[in-house]
Amino acid sequence: MHEMGIAQQIIDIAAASIPAEMTGARVERVNLKIGRLSAVVPESLRFCFGIVSQDTPLAGAELAIEETPILARCKDCDTRWTIDEPVFTCTSCGGGRLEILSGRELDIVSIEVAEREP
Amino acid sequence: MTQEIKVVRRVLAVNERMAEQNRRRFAEQGVFVLNVMSSPGSGKTTTLQKTIERLMPATRTAVIVGDVATTHDADRLAVTGAPVVQVNTDAFGGDCHLAAHVIEKAADDLDLDAVDLLIVENVGNLVCPAEFDIGEDARVVVLSVTEGEDKPVKYPTMFRLCDAALLNKIDLLPHLDYDKAKAIGYIRQVHPGMPIFELSARTGEGLGPWVDWLRARVEAKLNA
Ligand SMILES: Nc1nc2c(ncn2[C@@H]2O[C@H](COP(=O)(O)OP(=O)(O)OP(=O)(O)O)[C@@H](O)[C@H]2O)c(=O)[nH]1
Ligand SMILES: [Mg+2]
Ligand SMILES: [Zn+2]
């Protein structure tokens, strides 16, 4: 369950991204991009995040996960397509020399921070 | 009032930086690093024992082995005469993969100037290790004929990431109704062109082509 470690990294990066002037701020939402070819299961990640984020400025924050599709380009005929099934051969020439354009993302895009109610 | 703050960072940036640092260090010290991954029990340790026996002493080999709790694998590998560093993954807060900083620490316990090939036996797991670069030069996945034929399509990330697949325990084929052609078809579908070595770590059958492939990769780096 490496999702635990990944949740911890998300918290570290997000907490360090809260501007200094927003003291006492609470992170309401973390916007993530996770590729379908990454080795992360969103449900496990949410579960782990809920545990690891306790007693941090991210406690209770929502993980908004955009799952990005696997986009491939054939190095032989330049066809571009989206891979939905685990078949990594070119849909037009049948070749197997692919460039994976996207789908391996595991990125924090932004955080949404709220000032604590006075 | 809510404010959106742009971050745009790779979540695993810390590991990726450490992996690059490892990679530079291994290049400077002239060490080829192989990351070996598989499900639990596919035969990583047995295959590596036999592989190291064939490589040593010409290729000076050392091993880092990740094991959740025991030293059994380290003991078995040490029989080959290769220096072995055992990493107990529990101590690093996760027991499903080896991260780059763990490899950095473990490598400090080895005399890398006297090593040509550093083999890392990763923790038995087909998911997590795929996400953690350790600074290796090549990755191989071991699967055995006692597992489902469809492992490659269930774990495409791992099979795409690897540079070769070892199909182990072929000595058991006569006793199983394993559809080897189907398994190989699935590997080719997920990673066309990836070399596949059919072998038995137990009998030694098929080990030659795999060891030759590895030796060629090591020599190509060391002579570069
Ligand atoms: N019949 C047969 N058995 C094998 C072969 N290779 C390994 N085994 C057996 O399979 C079992 C697991 O082998 P290991 O080499 O320990 O597998 P591993 O991948 O290192 O296992 P973990 O480190 O626990 O994930 C042992 O009982 C081995 O003796 C083989 O080629 N044929
Ligand atoms: Mg083992
Ligand atoms: Zn094509």
Side-chain angles (χ1 to χ4, degrees):
Chain A
M1 273 257 283
H2 63 310
E3 277 85 358
M4 205 56 104
I6 288 172
Q8 187 60 55
Q9 294 293 315
I10 291 172
I11 290 161
D12 292 349
I13 295 171
S17 305
I18 300 171
E21 65 273 17
M22 294 184 84
T23 41
R26 192 167 60 78
V27 176
E28 289 195 328
R29 190 203 254 260
V30 181
N31 292 304
L32 297 168
K33 229 184 221 178
I34 300 185
R36 286 196 55 198
L37 201 52
S38 79
V40 175
V41 180
E43 279 328 298
S44 312
L45 182 58
R46 285 203 177 89
F47 173 77
C48 294
F49 180 80
I51 295 169
V52 187
S53 62
Q54 285 170 19
D55 304 319
T56 77
L58 282 94
E62 176 201 352
L63 287 190
I65 299 173
E66 182 195 343
E67 279 194 77
T68 52
I70 305 168
L71 297 179
R73 183 185 77 85
C74 176
K75 288 182 182 171
D76 293 319
C77 76
D78 205 38
T79 300
R80 283 158 202 254
W81 75 103
T82 301
I83 295 180
D84 292 316
E85 299 295 319
V87 180
F88 290 79
T89 47
C90 176
T91 48
S92 62
C93 77
R97 301 192 327 115
L98 309 189
E99 180 187 354
I100 301 298
L101 300 172
S102 72
R104 288 231 52 192
E105 295 80 359
L106 182 49
D107 303 334
I108 294 197
V109 180
S110 65
I111 55 174
E112 296 178 26
V113 184
E115 294 280 13
R116 213 181 272 292
E117 299 296 328
Chain B
M1 200 189 70
T2 305
Q3 194 183 327
E4 179 167 4
I5 296 157
K6 284 238 167 308
V7 180
V8 200
R9 287 270 306 273
R10 297 269 307 155
V11 171
L12 294 179
V14 170
N15 187 70
E16 284 156 13
R17 264 203 308 278
M18 182 55 76
E20 275 319 310
Q21 196 175 308
N22 286 351
R23 198 166 270 119
R24 277 197 301 278
R25 170 191 185 182
F26 295 139
E28 276 164 19
Q29 294 183 294
V31 180
F32 184 95
V33 182
L34 176 73
N35 186 359
V36 181
M37 294 169 281
S38 84
S39 304
S42 299
K44 296 180 294 299
T45 306
T46 316
T47 304
L48 291 176
Q49 271 178 288
K50 296 295 175 71
T51 302
I52 295 166
E53 278 167 16
R54 291 186 183 216
L55 287 169
M56 296 256 282
T59 305
R60 297 170 302 167
T61 307
V63 189
I64 295 173
V65 55
D67 203 335
V68 178
T70 70
T71 60
H72 300 164
D73 286 2
D75 298 342
R76 287 163 59 200
L77 289 162
V79 171
T80 62
V84 179
V85 178
Q86 149 93 31
V87 177
N88 192 330
T89 53
D90 274 345
F92 298 91
D95 49 18
C96 61
H97 65 274
L98 295 177
H101 68 99
V102 176
I103 298 302
E104 185 221 22
K105 269 225 191 94
D108 285 342
D109 291 338
L110 292 165
D111 176 14
L112 289 185
D113 289 329
V115 170
D116 305 315
L117 167 63
L118 173 59
I119 299 178
V120 177
E121 177 181 333
N122 219 309
V123 182
N125 183 323
L126 281 179
V127 181
C128 313
E131 207 61 74
F132 292 83
D133 186 359
I134 56 174
E136 69 275 62
D137 295 286
R139 307 176 186 95
V140 298
V141 56
V142 182
L143 72 167
S144 72
V145 300
T146 56
E147 302 166 51
E149 291 93 344
D150 58 356
K151 275 273 165 78
V153 287
K154 281 188 178 157
Y155 303 96
T157 304
M158 176 60 78
F159 280 82
R160 281 212 57 84
L161 195 70
C162 284
D163 303 292
L166 310 188
L167 182 57
N168 187 31
K169 309 194 188 181
I170 56 168
D171 58 291
L172 297 176
L173 282 173
H175 314 291
L176 304 169
D177 57 3
Y178 187 79
D179 190 341
K180 191 180 78 179
K182 189 168 164 190
I184 288 175
Y186 279 140
I187 299 174
R188 298 224 179 286
Q189 165 188 322
V190 169
H191 195 157
M194 174 166 66
I196 302 170
F197 300 101
E198 301 171 32
L199 54 88
S200 165
R202 175 153 297 170
T203 67
E205 185 188 351
L207 266 174
W210 146 245
V211 174
D212 290 344
W213 179 88
L214 177 58
R215 192 185 286 117
R217 298 283 306 251
V218 174
E219 279 169 8
K221 178 173 184 182
L222 301 191
N223 299 331

